[in-house]
Amino acid sequence: MMQATARRNSELYLLILALILGVGALALVVLARDADILATAAPLMVTLTAAYAAAHIGVRKLAPSSDHLLLPLTALLNGLGLAAVYRLDPSDYGPTQATWTVVGVVVFIATLVVVRDYRVLARYKYILGFTGILLLLLPATPLGTEINGARLWLRVGSFSFQPGELAKICLVIFFAAYLAERKELLAIASRRIWRIHFPDIKHFGPLLVMWLLSLAVMFFEKDLGSSLLFFSIFLVMLYIATARVAYMLVGLLVFAAGAYVGYATFSHVQLRVAVWLDVFNPKLISDEGYQLAQSLFALATGGLFGTGLGQGRPDLIPAAHTDFVFAVIGEELGLLGTAAVVVCFMFLVGRGLRIALGARSDFGQLLAAGLIVSFGVQTIIILAGVIRLLPLTGITLPFMSYGGSSLLSNFILMALLARVSHQNTSEPDPALTGEILIGGRR
Amino acid sequence: MQAQIRRVAWGLVAAFLLVFAQLNYVQIFAAEDIASNDSNIRSLLAEYAIKRGDIETLDFETVARSRRTQDRFQYLRTYPGGELYGHITGYYSLIYGSDRIEATYSEQLLGESGVISMQDIQDSFLSSGERGDDVRLTVHSQLQQVAAEALGGQEGSVVALDPSSGEVRAMYSNPTYDPGPLATHDTDEIRSYRRSLQPNSPDSPLLSKATSRSFPPGSTFKVVTAAAALESGRFSPTSTFPDPEALDLPLTDNTLNNFTNTSCTGTGSIDLFTALVQSCDTTFAILGLRLPEELRRTAGALGFNEPLPFDVGTAASTFPDVPDDQEPLRAFAGIGQGDVAATPLQMAVVAATVANGGQVPRPQLVREVRDPSGSVIEQQRSAPLGRAFSAATAQVLTRMMTSVVTEGTGTAAQIDGVEVAGKTGTAQTVEGAAPHAWFICFAPASNPRIAVAVLVENGGELGSEATGGAVAAPIAKAVIEADRRIRQW
């Protein structure tokens, strides 16, 4: 096992590499476009570097034994995303995104300060659970605002916020605590159909509740993507806790039924599917299919090598800076760029799952797994939408899309993972402490 | 739980691999296909970042130019030539692509080989300020103006050529359109303007009737019939023909009547020379019946049955191959009726061929292409299309056509001090509609400088009373006089 300082040193080297790439990407945008904008790019370069330097110092002080790849991978994705957002709008979105990065790092450090022991979180599971549900359903109240047909935003003055991002984390903590407590009970199988063990019908209660909640998200907020995301996080965590495939099957079945009703009810969901199936149809391409078609044009134009940063026309894609930031990378950095981004996300997810595997308690395992699965599934849903692998849903690409709520919650998520990771290696083996008597690990 | 976490890990890896596979498909395997979709305006944006060259007349009047704008399409195409040159310049439109000279000379106007590669797109974003080459037309602005004014509100076409070079000095057809609104950057405006032009109608103003539609040429075609007769060696200007009141057609009980419903001379016979001067239908109907092969060959040599090679698209003029069992149609073909159809440009080429001693000039609309510094980088000098008939035949035809103007049906084209050679035509169209009035001519007869074809559809202002001599000949006269004034001959 690597020593804490050795880990931090290698984190520093990798972080320097990641920042060179991020700052380099910003510099390329300046070179390709206009030398005049160096004045606006330089503060961004400094901000990005300073923010991650602070984050690194924070980790050294607060979670010195944590995984050394989390921060460099985050910095790389964040830096490339910042360059892409800056490239689209050097005067507004770029600086704002840099500011959010700073706020994000502050929140990251604050989370590490506040959560000194992640197990404490389990104590607040009901508060967090209710907060999560409240945040999730808040946009459905009159406080919410509808954007692009989906009601996912809260608007307070000129400031809009997507509470679903934060709700995700609260709910993952709640699920982890709840499932760690009940997993034995939920895993009891009373029947066996073919090769699958079915738990007793009364244990499907939690599944039913989550299903209804995800349906509420779908119907009141009209967003199939978020609904799918929440429900699939719960299903995966339930499966991890109980090893019962039956939950998965029943869950997918009832979700499919719900999704079908949603499809039949909402014209914009039907349109999304129609666009997905036939985006180049001349009837769709200039209206409903315009955004996805522009995304595919950008990716196709990029080819293998891309046009070079600042030299393509990703500004033709509506909402390029939020949901479609990946298409910007595709046009200007080509398949090499998109593949690199996909690999970074894969590494991050891999590190997250490794942290889950190493966690010393059921709660820790479920917490880390739930957090990283929510991160990974969200990434896959939006990537698949942008490249027309799945129908498009409006969720953000973690660390790359423009937007404060997304950045902040993903920084909290990374801080929690770092905390679990730190405790995995810094604490003495629970087998020697007797914790095993309380938890019971499989 | 470790086993489940590992399974979940594999599931996520599989999903990421699917994403990677689809990325390969979109960015590599299907990339060409996707990127070349018409709705991908990236190459259009690159094209519009180039300052397209001017189109200007022979006398350097700019009829199409590009102007810098503030919108994302950096240059706006404007047409100072407006309606007058609509059928020549064509348009350069975001939605409908380009047409006419804008289309044929697109590469030159963009100042490159025209194929927009991805490399070019990149270059154009890196270094703006590219400028295309200018295209100089053969059309003279004053002559074009006169042609349009002489035609006035009547529907029809005027084409004037230099008979020896084939350079088009004027080409106008009414109705016409202004390419400007089609070239704006406002797609709604483009669409609604185009809709107002009824793009799918055969009478759409978008269509140049001078080149893109063919009409029965009527008696102007007798010049071709006469040429075939003279070339055959079996007839001379003095060859005589019977002069009946009506010609009995073979295989049927029908007859072919003269235009006046009488015989042409009243003497019982008529010679070929007089027949052309008086435009005697029965004589040329007889020739049509007797020389079907020769007639078809001469018409073909003049450019019939295939689109004329030209700088802008042309429709083919047609001379039918009439089978033996429909022999009466050959009589009608001899007088330019039945299935014979010609574009005004084709009939101008017929006149120009007589003027040019039997060599068929290749019509052309562009004189040269100049780079932004003004030096000529492309000179258009095209070889004649071939010989349709001998110089001797041309000479005889010239004499006959001169008499048409001095003493025959074309006296309205007489000009003081200039010998004009011409031929009238009054072509029957559909039952009940007024005839098309034609006039083809060239001048001066001895040393031709200009050849003109005029078509006034459905009789123009005179309606059913119209004849080629009354309606079309004065327009041709105005064009010849103007060319004489402009070029001082």
Side-chain angles (χ1 to χ4, degrees):
Chain A
M1 191 171 297
M2 222 191 276
Q3 291 297 308
T5 41
R7 278 198 166 198
R8 296 282 70 81
N9 288 342
S10 90
E11 175 183 271
L12 181 61
Y13 299 138
L14 291 169
L15 196 54
I16 289 170
L17 269 179
L19 289 173
I20 287 173
L21 285 171
V23 169
L26 284 166
L28 277 175
V29 175
V30 174
L31 278 177
R33 303 204 61 193
D34 204 339
D36 300 352
I37 61 174
L38 183 61
T40 59
L44 265 62
M45 297 175 184
V46 174
T47 311
L48 184 72
T49 311
Y52 278 93
H56 173 70
I57 293 167
V59 172
R60 263 188 199 267
K61 295 261 182 261
L62 298 163
S65 298
S66 67
D67 189 283
H68 58 295
L69 284 176
L70 293 181
L71 208 54
L73 286 169
T74 301
L76 184 55
L77 293 170
N78 197 174
L80 278 180
L82 182 62
V85 169
Y86 171 73
R87 177 249 172 282
L88 290 165
D89 185 353
S91 56
D92 183 6
Y93 294 155
T96 312
Q97 180 78 342
T99 309
W100 279 117
T101 303
V102 173
V103 177
V105 168
V106 170
V107 169
F108 175 81
I109 295 170
T111 307
L112 285 177
V113 171
V114 173
V115 186
R116 300 310 288 249
D117 181 351
Y118 69 84
R119 283 167 297 205
V120 173
L121 292 170
R123 280 189 225 150
Y124 303 104
K125 62 172 181 278
Y126 289 110
I127 293 175
L128 287 168
F130 279 117
T131 311
I133 291 172
L134 197 69
L135 286 172
L136 197 56
L137 297 180
L138 214 49
T141 67
L143 290 171
T145 317
E146 193 166 311
I147 300 178
N148 296 329
R151 198 179 176 92
L152 292 174
W153 282 262
L154 280 186
R155 188 175 282 281
V156 182
S158 64
F159 182 79
S160 61
F161 177 67
Q162 224 174 330
E165 299 271 3
L166 205 57
K168 200 175 63 186
I169 293 175
C170 295
L171 287 173
V172 165
I173 298 171
F174 167 71
F175 293 156
Y178 175 83
L179 292 171
E181 230 172 59
R182 306 282 176 88
K183 70 189 188 80
E184 268 82 16
L185 197 67
L186 291 169
I188 295 169
S190 57
R191 243 166 311 169
R192 200 177 141 173
I193 300 169
W194 191 50
R195 286 169 54 192
I196 299 162
H197 296 274
F198 273 81
D200 202 73
I201 195 83
K202 66 183 178 207
H203 297 315
F204 280 91
L207 186 74
L208 188 72
V209 170
M210 273 317 295
W211 181 61
L212 290 174
L213 192 62
S214 71
L215 284 189
V217 170
M218 180 154 55
F219 281 91
F220 294 121
E221 300 172 14
K222 303 180 198 166
D223 189 67
L224 196 59
S226 310
S227 171
L228 173 68
L229 180 60
F230 292 120
F231 195 61
S232 57
I233 293 168
F234 175 72
L235 274 189
V236 170
M237 290 178 73
L238 186 60
Y239 167 72
I240 291 175
T242 63
R244 290 282 163 258
V245 180
Y247 285 125
M248 217 59 148
L249 290 179
V250 173
L252 287 178
L253 223 64
V254 294
F255 186 81
Y260 180 77
V261 174
Y263 174 80
T265 314
F266 298 118
S267 58
H268 82 278
V269 177
Q270 289 163 25
L271 268 174
R272 288 242 162 124
V273 174
V275 163
W276 172 57
L277 292 173
D278 195 12
V279 63
F280 297 119
N281 184 328
K283 285 193 192 109
L284 295 172
I285 201 163
S286 54
D287 290 305
E288 293 87 358
Y290 185 78
Q291 194 179 29
L292 181 60
Q294 292 301 325
S295 164
L296 295 173
F297 293 155
L299 288 161
T301 304
L304 180 59
F305 298 105
T307 58
L309 268 173
Q311 295 176 41
R313 291 305 299 257
D315 52 308
L316 296 174
I317 316 165
H321 60 291
T322 56
D323 301 357
F324 282 83
V325 72
F326 189 64
V328 180
I329 301 289
E331 175 164 2
E332 304 207 321
L333 295 176
L335 179 66
L336 296 179
T338 51
V341 168
V342 170
V343 167
C344 282
F345 276 113
M346 240 167 105
F347 274 169
L348 252 182
V349 170
R351 293 315 289 186
L353 289 169
R354 210 185 157 81
I355 292 168
L357 285 173
R360 302 295 170 115
S361 67
D362 285 344
F363 174 64
Q365 291 197 4
L366 283 165
L367 176 65
L371 290 173
I372 203 63
V373 164
S374 79
F375 180 88
V377 170
Q378 172 159 357
T379 302
I380 288 163
I381 288 179
I382 184 60
L383 289 187
V386 167
I387 65 176
R388 200 181 162 224
L389 194 61
L390 287 178
L392 187 67
T393 52
I395 51 182
T396 56
L397 183 60
F399 291 117
M400 297 193 78
S401 288
Y402 171 81
S405 14
S406 170
L407 261 181
L408 292 195
S409 23
N410 282 306
F411 269 115
I412 294 174
L413 192 150
M414 282 303 147
L416 292 177
L417 278 178
R419 174 53 69 218
V420 176
S421 169
H422 170 73
Q423 285 178 245
N424 287 351
T425 42
S426 64
E427 288 174 1
D429 197 304
L432 303 175
T433 63
E435 192 204 0
I436 198 160
L437 299 174
I438 312 161
R441 223 163 9 122
R442 243 163 239 269
Chain B
M1 295 206 298
Q2 309 236 338
Q4 289 93 286
I5 291 176
R6 289 208 170 83
R7 272 183 221 131
V8 168
W10 285 118
L12 290 172
V13 167
F16 276 117
L17 286 180
L18 273 177
V19 167
F20 182 66
Q22 173 76 353
L23 275 174
N24 273 277
Y25 173 74
V26 172
Q27 297 202 266
I28 306 289
F29 297 108
E32 284 291 330
D33 230 34
I34 295 171
S36 61
N37 189 294
D38 284 345
S39 298
N40 184 7
I41 60 169
R42 283 177 174 73
S43 54
L44 211 57
L45 284 169
E47 229 185 84
Y48 276 76
I50 297 169
K51 181 165 164 38
R52 207 173 161 82
D54 294 349
I55 302 176
E56 56 198 20
T57 61
L58 189 63
D59 50 324
F60 301 107
E61 188 181 299
T62 302
V63 290
R65 69 156 59 96
S66 286
R67 176 164 71 68
R68 192 101 171 94
T69 60
Q70 293 309 311
D71 61 56
R72 63 181 184 175
F73 296 104
Q74 299 176 34
Y75 284 98
L76 176 73
R77 195 68 167 160
T78 60
Y79 294 89
E83 288 199 332
L84 188 56
Y85 291 88
H87 291 143
I88 296 174
T89 58
Y91 49 77
Y92 180 63
S93 168
L94 276 175
I95 302 178
Y96 300 108
S98 51
D99 193 27
R100 311 298 276 185
I101 291 295
E102 291 277 28
T104 323
Y105 284 84
S106 193
E107 295 176 12
Q108 290 88 338
L109 290 166
L110 285 172
E112 51 183 88
S113 62
V115 184
I116 304 284
S117 65
M118 282 306 152
Q119 188 56 50
D120 293 330
I121 292 176
Q122 291 175 25
D123 291 348
S124 68
F125 286 120
L126 283 179
S127 59
S128 49
E130 274 185 79
R131 195 190 183 294
D133 301 322
D134 298 332
V135 169
R136 184 182 171 204
L137 302 171
T138 58
V139 173
H140 196 286
S141 69
Q142 291 176 38
L143 202 64
Q144 180 78 356
Q145 186 69 43
V146 166
E149 280 166 8
L151 191 60
Q154 306 175 102
E155 294 203 359
S157 307
V158 179
V159 178
L161 302 173
D162 181 314
S164 57
S165 66
E167 287 191 339
V168 172
R169 293 278 175 257
M171 186 172 85
Y172 179 76
S173 97
N174 185 41
T176 175
Y177 72 100
D178 181 2
L182 288 176
T184 64
H185 297 172
D186 176 345
T187 53
D188 290 337
E189 188 185 343
I190 298 170
R191 284 207 176 87
S192 76
Y193 179 67
R194 187 162 187 272
R195 218 175 301 122
S196 76
L197 298 176
Q198 296 165 304
N200 299 319
S201 154
D203 291 316
S204 168
L206 283 166
L207 209 66
S208 166
K209 286 175 176 168
T211 58
S212 305
R213 251 183 90 180
S214 56
F215 302 84
S219 300
T220 55
F221 191 76
K222 287 172 183 165
V223 173
V224 181
T225 310
L230 295 167
E231 279 293 286
S232 73
R234 288 153 65 188
F235 300 95
S236 73
T238 53
S239 303
T240 56
F241 294 80
D243 183 19
E245 284 185 12
L247 179 68
D248 288 322
L249 294 174
L251 307 175
T252 71
D253 296 335
N254 293 339
T255 57
L256 186 151
N257 294 358
N258 280 317
F259 188 68
T260 53
N261 286 320
T262 60
S263 69
C264 296
T265 60
T267 61
S269 73
I270 186 168
D271 63 53
L272 183 57
F273 192 100
T274 311
L276 189 92
V277 173
Q278 299 201 357
S279 200
C280 187
D281 286 336
T282 48
T283 312
F284 288 91
I286 292 167
L287 283 170
L289 288 168
R290 287 171 65 178
L291 301 170
E293 281 314 305
E294 288 84 346
L295 197 42
R296 199 172 145 75
R297 197 179 319 124
T298 306
L302 282 161
F304 279 75
N305 291 332
E306 262 180 69
L308 275 172
F310 196 36
D311 292 307
V312 294
T314 58
S317 302
T318 50
F319 185 84
D321 187 7
V322 181
D324 286 344
D325 60 347
Q326 290 172 25
E327 216 185 333
L329 285 178
R330 291 177 182 162
F332 287 101
I335 60 170
Q337 297 278 176
D339 292 333
V340 184
T343 61
L345 177 69
Q346 174 66 69
M347 292 318 290
V349 167
V350 168
T353 303
V354 178
N356 201 28
Q359 286 270 18
V360 188
R362 184 196 156 116
Q364 66 180 69
L365 204 46
V366 169
R367 165 69 68 90
E368 62 201 16
V369 177
R370 295 196 321 268
D371 70 15
S373 72
S375 49
V376 176
I377 54 172
E378 209 179 310
Q379 186 101 37
Q380 304 296 338
R381 273 273 159 255
S382 46
L385 294 176
R387 179 168 283 282
F389 39 78
S390 67
T393 296
Q395 221 162 30
V396 175
L397 290 171
T398 304
R399 274 199 289 125
M400 289 169 151
M401 288 169 72
T402 310
S403 291
V404 168
V405 176
T406 54
E407 54 183 304
T409 53
T411 51
Q414 286 173 7
I415 298 171
D416 269 351
V418 180
E419 217 177 4
V420 178
K423 181 70 193 84
T424 57
T426 308
Q428 305 302 315
T429 56
V430 289
E431 194 67 44
H436 294 325
W438 283 90
F439 193 70
I440 64 171
C441 62
F442 57 89
S446 52
N447 178 26
R449 304 295 296 265
I450 190 90
V452 184
V454 175
L455 162 69
V456 178
E457 289 166 61
N458 299 115
E461 284 156 5
L462 285 187
S464 55
E465 297 301 306
T467 59
V471 177
I475 296 170
K477 175 186 168 178
V479 172
I480 294 171
E481 283 178 327
D483 189 58
R484 187 184 181 207
R485 195 173 59 243
I486 294 161
R487 293 204 282 167
Q488 306 275 314
W489 47 266

